[in-house]
Amino acid sequence: MKMCISVYPNGDDEETGRCLSIFLCYVSNDCAKSERVRPCYTISIKDQSNDLQHHQMTFSDCWFEVSDVWGYSVIELSSLNDPTKGLIVNDCCLIEIELVEQAISS
């Protein structure tokens, strides 16, 4: 399963200026193009100051076909930019996406 991500640091569409938005696109599979996949994935923004309070969201309810895109407003910018949370350090934000293929359907 091959996925790509798009990150919108200032949000997308109605979330512009309010949230960090992340979109996942299902690019391809080694199987037939007509197959769908349902991954379980966790999007994490890492706490770089003490490695204790990562901001995480887990999803497992979306079926992807090739070229499908799903997007999420992951965190409000006010929370992301809060220096006490340690999510941005030296102008860098660490985003981790863990992806596990749960099911395949023809």
Side-chain angles (χ1 to χ4, degrees):
M1 171 175 58
K2 187 186 286 187
M3 306 282 282
C4 71
I5 65 168
S6 296
V7 178
Y8 295 85
N10 290 310
D12 185 56
D13 289 333
E14 65 271 358
E15 298 298 334
T16 300
R18 295 184 344 183
C19 295
L20 169 76
S21 298
I22 296 178
F23 288 78
L24 297 176
C25 178
Y26 179 40
V27 178
S28 69
N29 195 345
D30 294 335
C31 305
K33 287 192 176 208
S34 62
E35 289 192 338
R36 303 179 316 146
V37 63
R38 189 179 78 202
C40 175
Y41 51 99
T42 300
I43 299 172
S44 301
I45 301 174
K46 303 303 238 174
D47 177 349
Q48 300 176 66
S49 60
N50 61 25
D51 203 33
L52 296 175
Q53 300 178 13
H54 306 304
H55 179 81
Q56 294 184 329
M57 298 177 79
T58 299
F59 306 92
S60 61
D61 58 346
C62 301
W63 283 94
F64 285 82
E65 293 182 15
V66 173
S67 299
D68 274 354
V69 177
W70 287 91
Y72 301 95
S73 297
V74 179
I75 187 171
E76 290 185 8
L77 294 179
S78 58
S79 185
L80 177 67
N81 290 311
D82 182 345
T84 64
K85 296 186 187 257
L87 301 176
I88 296 181
V89 174
N90 295 327
D91 291 330
C92 292
C93 176
L94 299 178
I95 298 171
E96 175 181 274
I97 299 178
E98 181 181 342
L99 207 64
V100 177
E101 189 175 80
Q102 279 191 312
I104 296 176
S105 172
S106 296

